[in-house]
């Protein structure tokens, strides 16, 4: 049941992110982005919620294409994202602060 609820939350957040134009990050999101680059598990963004993930995508002018859960030493969301010019990249998010706590 938890995974189903988490999946629904991810879908809703994804839909909201797809409809929201690029906007400047809030101070909290800017701090998260300044502390990491999200290019790997080692440099994953340390987020507090799924909303943080999509706020970072919006701040970077990206839209989500796909998302996967990767379990290593801790849980990560890996989002494949696309820029306006069609460039694709994968961003890593450390979700250990909230994963499994829904």
């Amino acid at each position: 049941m938890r995974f189903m609820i988490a999946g629904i939350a991810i879908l809703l957040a994804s839909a909201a992110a797809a409809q929201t134009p690029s906007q400047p990050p809030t101070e909290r999101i800017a701090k998260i982005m300044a502390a990491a680059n999200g290019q790997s598990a080692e440099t994953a963004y340390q987020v507090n919620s799924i909303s943080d993930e999509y706020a970072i995508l919006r701040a970077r002018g990206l839209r989500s294409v796909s998302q996967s859960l990767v379990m290593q030493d801790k849980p990560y969301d890996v989002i494949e994202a696309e820029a306006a010019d069609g460039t694709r990249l994968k961003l890593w998010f450390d979700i250990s602060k909230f994963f499994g706590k829904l």
Side-chain angles (χ1 to χ4, degrees):
M1 183 73 168
R2 286 184 190 167
F3 291 111
M4 188 169 91
I5 292 170
I8 291 169
I10 290 168
L11 289 173
L12 291 174
S14 179
Q19 295 174 356
T20 306
S22 181
Q23 54 189 237
T26 63
E27 185 175 330
R28 186 172 60 76
I29 295 299
K31 285 181 182 179
I32 293 170
M33 292 173 66
N37 65 21
Q39 294 181 2
S40 68
E42 295 77 24
T43 62
Y45 292 118
Q46 306 285 316
V47 294
N48 296 318
S49 66
I50 294 169
S51 297
D52 286 354
E53 295 176 22
Y54 287 91
I56 290 169
L57 290 177
R58 284 191 303 274
R60 293 189 59 176
L62 302 169
R63 72 172 186 85
S64 174
V65 175
S66 67
Q67 183 170 355
S68 59
L69 174 65
V70 175
M71 299 296 287
Q72 291 184 355
D73 56 327
K74 51 185 148 182
Y76 297 93
D77 272 343
V78 180
I79 297 179
E80 183 176 358
E82 185 174 75
D85 67 0
T87 303
R88 287 193 177 195
L89 65 149
K90 289 186 180 181
L91 294 177
W92 288 70
F93 298 88
D94 177 346
I95 59 171
S96 59
K97 290 183 181 178
F98 65 91
F99 181 75
K101 296 177 174 94
L102 291 175

